[in-house]
Amino acid sequence: MAQPLTSQGSSHDHADVDAKAESEGVALNNASPQAVAISRNPKSRRNLYIVGGVVVGIVVVLGLGLGLGLGLGLGIRKNNYVTTNSTFLLDPSFNITSIPTTRYYEWVVEEMPGSPDGFERTMLVVNGQFPGPLIEVNSGDELIVNVFNKMSNGTTIHWHGQLQNGTNYMDGTNGITQCPIPPGMNFTYKFTINPNQYGTYWWHAHASTQYTDGIYGPLVIHALREPIYGSYDRDVVIVLSDWYHDISSGLLTQYLSAAGIDGSNYGGFNPGAEPPPDNGLINGRTNGTAFNFEPDLRYRLRLINMATLTDFIFSVDEHVLSVVEADGTSIERVNVHRVPISVAQRYSVILTTDQTAGSYNVRAEMQEVCYKLSNPNLNTMVLATLTYGAGPTTPTSSDWSDGFPQTCLDLNSTMIVPAIAMNPPNSTQSVLVSMSFQQTVQSGGNQVLAFVNNTSWEPRSTDPTILQFYQGGAQTNFDSSTQLVVVNDEISVIDLVVNNYDDSSHPFHLHGHVFWVLGEGDGFYQPGISPITLTNPPRRDTLTLPGYGWVLIRFVADNPGLWAFHCHIGWHMAAGLLMQFASLPSKVQEFQIPSYLQQQCSEQSSGAIVNKRSSKWLSLDM
C-alpha cells in the first residue's frame, strides 16, 4: 500500500503535472511507477504517495519538476515475480477533506509470472502487483493515471462506477470510448471525481477478457458528507475474485469455438457454458490472507467482487455484519450473517471486534451452483483469517448455522434502502430489450453467441463509437452485427426493461450512470401488472438479472457520451452481451478529446485485441 510523505505544495507543481499529463501518447521507454497527490490550494500541504516504486524515483521526478515528457527514461522498476497485495488496510491518517486535490499515478501494465494459489502461470499486472494498486481519493479530486503498456497486446483501463460527466472519452471501454493502448505506448487518463460520488469502486482492464488475468484493483472515494462517515474506526478493502490456471485468451478461443469448453457445448447439452475457475481468492490469495485487527473497534469492510464468473457469499465466523453501502450508495443499516455479492458489485459492512480475543475464519463461498459446468478440483470455500486481541492461530471458530439459499442473486431489494431518500422522476422513454444465447446462422447452428435483441456485440478496436459520433454527429445506422445503440439528443428519463431468455442469472453494469431498480421478478415483464416500486427504490450501477426473469431500471440520460450496458461476466461480454446508449451526441462533438486517443486508433496493427471469432455471422431474430 502507498506510504504517505509530505511536502510543501505549490501551484507551479500542479501546472507541471498538467503539462506532463497532456503530453500525447509516445513510445514507452522507461518510467518510474509512482503516485503524487498535489493540492490545488498553493498554501496547503500535499501528500506524496509511492505506488510500487522507490523513494529515490520520487526524488528524481520532483527534482525534474514533474515537467519532463512521458518518454524521457526515468528508470523502470523491474520485478521478476508478481507481488501479492494481501492486505488493503487503509491508512487512517489519509486526509479526508472537501478541498480538491490532483492525484497523479504512473502505472506499468506488463506480463509477469505469479502464483496466487500456488500454481505458477503468466499474469497480467499493474506495477508488478496483484491485485493492482489501491487508488484513494476524495470527492471532487482530479485523478490522473498515466498507463504504460508493456504487454504484447493492447489494453484499456475502465473506472468502474465513475460518472465521467464531460469526460466520456476517459471511460476506458475498448471499441466504445477508445482504442486499445498499443504495446510500447502510453495513455493518460485524466478526469475529475464527481463531487457527489463517494463509496467503494474499482478499476479493471476493459479489453477482451484481460482483467481475468490480473489487471484490476480497488478505488475508494472518501467524503465528509458520506452518510456513513464517522460510523466506523478503521477501513479495509476486501477483494473477492475467481482464478484460472490458463491464460484467458486461450480459454476464450475455446469458449467461442463450435465445440465449446466441454467439447459438446454446442450440441444442445450446455449452450454457452463458461470455463469454470480453478480457485477463488481473497485479496489475491487462496490461502494465507490475514487481517490483523484491534479489539473493540468498528471496521468498515469494503467488499468488491472482481471475479470473471463467480458469485460469492461472504461471512466472518461469529460476527454480525451490518450492511451500510451498496455500489457507492449509503443504505440504511441492516444486520446479516452472510452477504451475497455478484460479479462487479460492492458492499460495505461494519464489523465490530467485540468477541473473544483470538482468530476467526473469514469465508468467501463460491457459488458453484451458478456454473453450467463443474470443476471437480475446485474447493469452493475460500478462507482468510481475522485476528484481534491475541497472536494469530489456526481458527477453531464456527460458521453460522443458518444456511443461505443458493439462488445466484443479490441481497433482497427490500434490504437495500438508500440512506438519502430519492424518488425517481417520471419516465419519458421506454426501452425494451431481451438477452439470450443463440446458435448462429452462418455457423450452421454450431456456434453459440450472446445477443441483446438480435445483435451480438463485437468491439470496433480501430473505430470506437465515440469517434463516430465525435466526427460525424448523431448517427443511427450501424453495422447490425456489431452495434446496438439507443440514441437520444435530448435529456430523457429512460425506463429500461430487460427480459432474460437464459436460464442463468447475469450481473449487468451500466457505465456512467447510477440507476433506480424499480422491479425484478420471474418470467417476463408485463406493464401495469409486474410489481414495481417508485418510493426510494435501490440505487446501483450493477444489478443481477435473474434467470428466466426480468428487471426494470430507470435512469436519467443527461450524461453526454457513449455508455455501455453489459453483462459483467467476462466470457459473456466477449460473446456479445452488450449494448450502448448514446446520450446527447451533439455535446459529444464539443468534447476536447486528446489527439493521442485518435492517433492510437491508427496504431492498432501492433496493438489490437485479437478477435477470436473466426468469421462474420448473422443472428436469429427474437
Side-chain angles (χ1 to χ4, degrees), residues 532-605:
I532 64 172
T533 180
L534 297 175
T535 303
N536 195 26
R539 300 194 298 271
R540 310 199 67 153
D541 59 46
T542 308
L543 60 76
T544 302
L545 172 64
Y548 291 138
W550 61 273
V551 295
L552 167 60
I553 67 174
R554 181 174 294 178
F555 64 95
V556 180
D558 61 352
N559 193 354
L562 279 296
W563 305 107
F565 178 67
H566 65 91
C567 178
H568 219 287
I569 292 175
W571 312 114
H572 295 173
M573 190 181 74
L577 204 50
L578 180 149
M579 63 176 290
Q580 299 177 57
F581 286 91
S583 296
L584 308 175
S586 60
K587 297 293 184 182
V588 172
Q589 290 190 291
E590 300 175 7
F591 282 166
Q592 300 297 312
I593 297 180
S595 59
Y596 57 81
L597 185 151
Q598 300 177 68
Q599 291 169 1
Q600 290 188 356
C601 288
S602 64
E603 299 286 340
Q604 293 310 303
S605 61

Side-chain angles (χ1 to χ4, degrees), residues 444-523:
N446 294 321
Q447 185 184 30
V448 171
L449 293 172
F451 289 81
V452 179
N453 287 354
N454 63 347
T455 299
S456 181
W457 178 76
E458 180 183 356
R460 289 290 190 87
S461 293
T462 61
D463 188 23
T465 43
I466 189 174
L467 291 185
Q468 297 176 43
F469 279 79
Y470 180 64
Q471 297 165 354
Q475 302 181 46
T476 57
N477 296 319
F478 296 91
D479 185 337
S480 61
S481 67
T482 60
Q483 303 291 347
L484 173 59
V485 184
V486 176
V487 181
N488 280 290
D489 208 18
E490 296 180 353
I491 294 177
S492 56
V493 181
I494 296 178
D495 274 357
L496 174 60
V497 177
V498 186
N499 287 320
N500 185 3
Y501 284 80
D502 187 51
D503 61 345
S504 298
S505 61
H506 297 268
F508 268 82
H509 170 52
L510 177 61
H511 290 212
H513 298 79
V514 176
F515 51 74
W516 289 272
V517 183
L518 302 189
E520 58 188 325
D522 297 329

